[in-house]
Protein backbone atom coordinates (compact mmCIF):
# COMPACT_ATOMS: atom_id res chain seq x y z
CA UNK A 1 0.00 0.00 0.00
CA UNK A 2 2.91 2.34 0.79
CA UNK A 3 3.23 4.65 -2.20
CA UNK A 4 6.76 5.59 -1.33
CA UNK A 5 6.51 8.89 0.52
CA UNK A 6 8.61 8.80 3.63
CA UNK A 7 10.49 11.19 5.89
CA UNK A 8 14.09 10.84 4.75
CA UNK A 9 17.34 11.81 6.51
CA UNK A 10 16.91 15.37 5.33
CA UNK A 11 13.58 15.64 7.17
CA UNK A 12 14.81 13.73 10.21
CA UNK A 13 17.85 15.99 10.60
CA UNK A 14 15.67 19.09 11.06
CA UNK A 15 12.50 17.55 12.52
CA UNK A 16 13.15 18.59 16.10
CA UNK A 17 14.03 22.16 15.12
CA UNK A 18 11.13 22.42 12.66
CA UNK A 19 8.49 21.19 15.11
CA UNK A 20 9.91 23.47 17.79
CA UNK A 21 9.73 26.43 15.42
CA UNK A 22 6.10 25.55 14.56
CA UNK A 23 5.13 25.47 18.25
CA UNK A 24 4.52 21.73 18.22
CA UNK A 25 7.03 20.88 20.94
CA UNK A 26 5.53 23.50 23.23
CA UNK A 27 2.01 22.14 22.82
CA UNK A 28 2.94 18.44 23.08
CA UNK A 29 1.98 18.38 26.79
CA UNK A 30 -1.58 19.35 25.81
CA UNK A 31 -1.82 16.40 23.43
CA UNK A 32 -0.32 14.13 26.09
CA UNK A 33 -2.85 15.27 28.72
CA UNK A 34 -5.73 14.69 26.28
CA UNK A 35 -4.50 11.22 25.28
CA UNK A 36 -3.75 10.19 28.85
CA UNK A 37 -7.22 11.28 29.96
CA UNK A 38 -8.79 9.22 27.17
CA UNK A 39 -6.79 6.08 27.84
CA UNK A 40 -6.42 6.06 31.64
CA UNK A 41 -3.20 4.16 32.04
CA UNK A 42 -3.85 1.58 29.33
CA UNK A 43 -2.08 0.79 26.09
CA UNK A 44 -1.53 3.13 23.16
CA UNK A 45 -0.37 2.82 19.56
CA UNK A 46 0.83 5.86 17.61
CA UNK A 47 0.52 5.76 13.84
CA UNK A 48 3.50 7.64 12.39
CA UNK A 49 5.29 7.90 15.73
CA UNK A 50 8.19 9.92 14.33
CA UNK A 51 10.75 11.07 16.88
CA UNK A 52 8.37 10.46 19.79
CA UNK A 53 7.43 14.12 20.27
CA UNK A 54 4.19 13.03 21.97
CA UNK A 55 4.82 9.30 22.48
CA UNK A 56 7.79 9.80 24.81
CA UNK A 57 6.08 12.11 27.32
CA UNK A 58 2.93 9.94 27.09
CA UNK A 59 4.96 6.83 27.92
CA UNK A 60 6.27 8.65 31.01
CA UNK A 61 2.67 8.93 32.29
CA UNK A 62 2.06 5.23 32.91
CA UNK A 63 0.67 4.56 29.44
CA UNK A 64 2.37 1.72 27.55
CA UNK A 65 3.04 3.26 24.14
CA UNK A 66 4.03 1.49 20.93
CA UNK A 67 4.40 2.96 17.46
CA UNK A 68 4.67 2.41 13.74
CA UNK A 69 6.59 4.51 11.25
CA UNK A 70 7.75 3.84 7.70
CA UNK A 71 10.86 6.01 8.04
CA UNK A 72 14.07 4.40 9.14
CA UNK A 73 15.51 7.87 9.77
CA UNK A 74 12.65 8.86 12.09
CA UNK A 75 12.76 5.52 13.92
CA UNK A 76 16.49 6.05 14.52
CA UNK A 77 15.70 9.47 16.02
CA UNK A 78 13.17 7.82 18.33
CA UNK A 79 15.54 5.02 19.33
CA UNK A 80 18.19 7.63 20.15
CA UNK A 81 15.78 9.31 22.57
CA UNK A 82 14.21 6.35 24.39
CA UNK A 83 14.44 2.61 24.82
CA UNK A 84 11.06 2.48 26.59
CA UNK A 85 8.90 2.45 23.47
CA UNK A 86 8.49 -0.50 21.14
CA UNK A 87 8.32 0.85 17.61
CA UNK A 88 8.56 -0.91 14.28
CA UNK A 89 8.86 -0.06 10.63
CA UNK A 90 5.59 -0.41 8.78
CA UNK A 91 2.99 1.31 6.67
CA UNK A 92 0.12 2.82 8.64
CA UNK A 93 -2.10 2.18 5.62
CA UNK A 94 -1.71 -1.55 5.99
CA UNK A 95 -0.76 -3.03 9.33
CA UNK A 96 -1.77 -5.82 11.66
CA UNK A 97 -0.78 -6.19 15.32
CA UNK A 98 -0.80 -9.03 17.76
CA UNK A 99 -1.86 -6.63 20.54
CA UNK A 100 -5.09 -4.68 20.98
CA UNK A 101 -4.89 -1.07 22.15
CA UNK A 102 -7.06 1.15 24.33
CA UNK A 103 -6.12 4.15 22.24
CA UNK A 104 -4.70 4.45 18.75
CA UNK A 105 -3.76 7.93 17.66
CA UNK A 106 -2.62 9.53 14.43
CA UNK A 107 -1.73 13.19 14.92
CA UNK A 108 -0.02 16.23 13.42
CA UNK A 109 -1.46 15.69 9.92
CA UNK A 110 0.13 12.26 9.55
CA UNK A 111 -3.11 10.75 8.20
CA UNK A 112 -3.11 13.21 5.29
CA UNK A 113 0.35 12.00 4.25
CA UNK A 114 -1.52 8.98 2.84
CA UNK A 115 -2.08 10.30 -0.64
CA UNK A 116 -4.99 8.18 -1.84
CA UNK A 117 -8.51 7.71 -0.49
CA UNK A 118 -8.02 3.91 -0.54
CA UNK A 119 -4.89 4.20 1.62
CA UNK A 120 -6.70 6.44 4.08
CA UNK A 121 -9.62 4.01 4.41
CA UNK A 122 -7.20 1.09 4.74
CA UNK A 123 -5.44 2.95 7.57
CA UNK A 124 -8.73 3.39 9.41
CA UNK A 125 -9.60 -0.27 8.81
CA UNK A 126 -6.23 -1.45 10.18
CA UNK A 127 -6.67 0.82 13.20
CA UNK A 128 -10.24 -0.35 13.85
CA UNK A 129 -9.13 -3.96 13.92
CA UNK A 130 -6.29 -3.18 16.37
CA UNK A 131 -8.57 -1.46 18.92
CA UNK A 132 -9.63 -3.16 22.11
CA UNK A 133 -13.38 -3.60 22.56
CA UNK A 134 -13.77 -0.18 24.21
CA UNK A 135 -10.78 1.31 22.43
CA UNK A 136 -10.81 4.69 20.70
CA UNK A 137 -9.09 6.19 17.69
CA UNK A 138 -7.89 9.81 17.91
CA UNK A 139 -7.12 11.75 14.75
CA UNK A 140 -5.68 15.25 14.54
CA UNK A 141 -5.25 17.14 11.32
CA UNK A 142 -5.73 20.52 9.69
CA UNK A 143 -8.91 21.76 8.09
CA UNK A 144 -8.02 22.08 4.38
CA UNK A 145 -6.85 25.62 3.60
CA UNK A 146 -7.82 26.00 -0.03
CA UNK A 147 -8.01 29.79 -0.07
CA UNK A 148 -5.45 31.94 -1.86
CA UNK A 149 -4.55 29.61 -4.73
CA UNK A 150 -3.82 31.28 -8.05
CA UNK A 151 -3.78 28.97 -11.07
CA UNK A 152 -3.65 26.06 -8.64
CA UNK A 153 -0.53 27.33 -6.83
CA UNK A 154 0.14 29.03 -3.53
CA UNK A 155 3.16 30.13 -1.53
CA UNK A 156 2.84 30.75 2.22
CA UNK A 157 5.40 32.34 4.51
CA UNK A 158 5.70 30.17 7.63
CA UNK A 159 8.45 32.01 9.46
CA UNK A 160 10.95 34.83 9.03
CA UNK A 161 13.50 35.71 11.68
CA UNK A 162 17.12 36.87 11.72
CA UNK A 163 18.40 33.43 10.75
CA UNK A 164 15.62 31.67 8.87
CA UNK A 165 13.12 32.15 6.10
CA UNK A 166 10.71 29.26 5.84
CA UNK A 167 8.05 29.11 3.14
CA UNK A 168 5.65 26.45 1.96
CA UNK A 169 4.76 25.93 -1.67
CA UNK A 170 1.56 24.12 -2.65
CA UNK A 171 0.31 22.90 -5.99
CA UNK A 172 -3.33 21.81 -5.95
CA UNK A 173 -4.36 18.60 -7.71
CA UNK A 174 -8.12 18.89 -7.29
CA UNK A 175 -8.84 15.54 -8.97
CA UNK A 176 -6.95 13.59 -6.32
CA UNK A 177 -7.57 16.05 -3.44
CA UNK A 178 -3.80 16.31 -3.22
CA UNK A 179 -1.60 19.24 -2.33
CA UNK A 180 1.85 18.65 -3.75
CA UNK A 181 3.60 20.66 -1.07
CA UNK A 182 7.15 21.37 0.01
CA UNK A 183 8.80 23.38 2.75
CA UNK A 184 11.66 25.60 1.57
CA UNK A 185 13.93 26.52 4.45
CA UNK A 186 16.59 29.15 3.84
CA UNK A 187 19.14 29.75 6.56
CA UNK A 188 22.54 31.43 6.26
CA UNK A 189 23.85 30.23 2.92
CA UNK A 190 21.89 26.96 2.75
CA UNK A 191 18.48 25.97 1.53
CA UNK A 192 16.63 22.75 2.24
CA UNK A 193 13.65 21.45 0.32
CA UNK A 194 11.44 19.20 2.45
CA UNK A 195 8.62 17.52 0.52
CA UNK A 196 5.27 17.23 2.29
CA UNK A 197 2.59 16.00 -0.11
CA UNK A 198 -0.86 15.45 1.38
CA UNK A 199 -4.35 14.30 0.53
CA UNK A 200 -6.57 16.80 2.28
CA UNK A 201 -9.76 15.59 3.92
CA UNK A 202 -12.68 17.47 5.45
CA UNK A 203 -13.96 16.25 8.80
CA UNK A 204 -17.20 14.97 7.32
CA UNK A 205 -15.37 12.82 4.78
CA UNK A 206 -13.33 11.43 7.67
CA UNK A 207 -16.56 10.54 9.48
CA UNK A 208 -17.82 8.74 6.38
CA UNK A 209 -14.57 6.82 5.94
CA UNK A 210 -14.65 5.88 9.63
CA UNK A 211 -18.24 4.66 9.29
CA UNK A 212 -17.12 2.44 6.39
CA UNK A 213 -14.84 0.53 8.80
CA UNK A 214 -17.32 0.25 11.67
CA UNK A 215 -16.37 3.34 13.70
CA UNK A 216 -18.47 6.30 14.79
CA UNK A 217 -17.62 9.80 15.93
CA UNK A 218 -17.61 10.17 19.71
CA UNK A 219 -16.11 13.65 20.14
CA UNK A 220 -14.66 16.45 18.05
CA UNK A 221 -12.62 19.39 19.32
CA UNK A 222 -10.86 22.39 17.83
CA UNK A 223 -7.72 21.93 19.94
CA UNK A 224 -6.16 19.63 22.53
CA UNK A 225 -7.49 21.64 25.46
CA UNK A 226 -11.13 21.02 24.59
CA UNK A 227 -11.81 24.20 22.60
CA UNK A 228 -14.89 23.95 20.40
CA UNK A 229 -14.58 22.97 16.76
CA UNK A 230 -16.06 25.92 14.85
CA UNK A 231 -16.07 27.49 11.40
CA UNK A 232 -12.92 29.35 12.43
CA UNK A 233 -11.04 26.20 13.51
CA UNK A 234 -7.85 25.51 11.63
CA UNK A 235 -7.68 21.86 12.72
CA UNK A 236 -9.72 19.24 14.52
CA UNK A 237 -9.19 16.47 16.99
CA UNK A 238 -11.70 13.72 16.29
CA UNK A 239 -12.32 10.73 18.53
CA UNK A 240 -13.93 7.55 17.15
CA UNK A 241 -15.21 4.43 18.89
CA UNK A 242 -16.72 1.19 17.64
CA UNK A 243 -20.15 1.89 16.17
CA UNK A 244 -22.92 0.53 18.37
CA UNK A 245 -24.05 -1.66 15.45
CA UNK A 246 -20.61 -3.31 15.09
CA UNK A 247 -19.68 -3.61 18.81
C1 LIG B 1 4.26 14.91 10.61
S1 LIG B 1 5.26 13.59 11.19
C2 LIG B 1 4.49 13.32 12.77
C3 LIG B 1 5.38 12.57 13.70
C4 LIG B 1 4.78 12.43 15.12
N1 LIG B 1 3.51 11.75 15.06
C5 LIG B 1 4.59 13.77 15.77
O1 LIG B 1 3.46 14.11 16.10
O2 LIG B 1 5.58 14.49 15.94
C6 LIG B 1 4.65 12.23 10.23
C7 LIG B 1 5.31 10.91 10.58
O3 LIG B 1 4.58 9.88 9.90
C8 LIG B 1 5.49 9.01 9.24
N2 LIG B 1 4.79 8.44 8.07
C9 LIG B 1 4.40 9.08 6.95
N3 LIG B 1 3.75 8.25 6.11
C10 LIG B 1 3.73 7.03 6.75
C11 LIG B 1 3.22 5.75 6.41
N4 LIG B 1 2.57 5.53 5.25
N5 LIG B 1 3.40 4.72 7.27
C12 LIG B 1 4.07 4.92 8.45
N6 LIG B 1 4.57 6.11 8.83
C13 LIG B 1 4.41 7.16 7.99
C14 LIG B 1 6.68 9.90 8.90
O4 LIG B 1 7.86 9.14 8.70
C15 LIG B 1 6.76 10.80 10.11
O5 LIG B 1 7.55 10.24 11.12
Amino acid sequence: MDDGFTYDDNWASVYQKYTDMRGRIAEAHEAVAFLERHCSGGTALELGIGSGRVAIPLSERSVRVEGIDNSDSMLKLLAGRTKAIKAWQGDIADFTCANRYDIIYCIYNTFTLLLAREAQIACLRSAASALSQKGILVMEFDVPALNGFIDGQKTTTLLVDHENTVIRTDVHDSLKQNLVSAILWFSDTSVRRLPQPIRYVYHQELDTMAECVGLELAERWGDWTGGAFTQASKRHISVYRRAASSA
Side-chain angles (χ1 to χ4, degrees):
M1 183 70 71
D2 205 326
D3 67 1
F5 176 71
T6 184
Y7 274 37
D8 59 8
D9 281 346
N10 201 21
W11 249 122
S13 66
V14 294
Y15 190 76
Q16 191 74 5
K17 191 168 176 196
Y18 180 75
T19 46
D20 193 17
M21 201 174 73
R22 301 290 289 153
R24 291 288 186 151
I25 303 281
E27 71 153 32
H29 70 279
E30 294 174 358
V32 169
F34 181 100
L35 295 168
E36 185 191 20
R37 204 164 53 245
H38 281 75
C39 137
S40 51
T43 54
L45 176 70
E46 177 160 358
L47 307 183
I49 190 169
S51 63
R53 179 182 66 92
V54 166
I56 291 175
L58 184 62
S59 72
E60 290 163 354
R61 302 267 196 108
S62 76
V63 178
R64 203 185 78 224
V65 185
E66 300 184 353
I68 306 176
D69 206 289
N70 67 355
S71 163
D72 196 34
S73 313
M74 295 300 281
L75 286 170
K76 278 190 190 134
L77 269 189
L78 176 70
R81 297 182 66 207
T82 183
K83 301 281 172 254
I85 293 179
K86 179 182 158 199
W88 63 93
Q89 193 157 20
D91 181 4
I92 61 169
D94 183 14
F95 66 93
T96 51
C97 318
N99 293 335
R100 294 290 170 268
Y101 300 90
D102 300 312
I103 192 164
I104 299 181
Y105 62 98
C106 187
I107 59 176
Y108 196 6
N109 295 317
T110 299
F111 182 71
T112 59
L113 295 172
L114 299 172
L115 301 180
R117 186 180 69 110
E118 294 76 8
Q120 292 181 340
I121 294 175
C123 172
L124 295 174
R125 182 170 293 115
S126 297
S129 56
L131 284 176
S132 65
Q133 194 55 34
K134 296 241 179 261
I136 56 166
L137 173 67
V138 178
M139 310 288 288
E140 178 217 8
F141 56 83
D142 290 346
V143 172
L146 298 182
N147 55 322
F149 279 82
I150 298 174
D151 292 336
Q153 301 185 8
K154 178 163 85 167
T155 303
T156 310
T157 305
L158 299 183
L159 176 121
V160 180
D161 65 18
H162 290 303
E163 288 166 13
N164 306 285
T165 301
V166 186
I167 62 178
R168 191 179 65 230
T169 57
D170 296 293
V171 176
H172 188 195
D173 178 339
S174 58
L175 296 183
K176 293 184 180 164
Q177 282 186 208
N178 280 182
L179 294 179
V180 184
S181 308
I183 310 293
L184 298 180
W185 185 338
F186 302 82
S187 60
D188 298 325
T189 54
S190 73
V191 58
R192 278 175 199 273
R193 182 175 179 281
L194 304 161
Q196 199 171 46
I198 65 154
R199 178 177 186 270
Y200 60 85
V201 176
Y202 287 95
H203 57 285
Q204 290 195 333
E205 184 187 356
L206 182 64
D207 292 349
T208 304
M209 291 196 282
E211 282 164 20
C212 287
V213 303
L215 299 175
E216 67 181 11
L217 182 70
E219 299 171 23
R220 173 164 289 133
W221 306 103
D223 61 45
W224 289 113
T225 60
F229 180 64
T230 69
Q231 287 225 42
S233 296
K234 296 209 171 357
R235 64 173 153 169
H236 59 91
I237 290 124
S238 299
V239 180
Y240 296 92
R241 64 185 166 216
R242 282 185 198 289
S245 53
S246 70

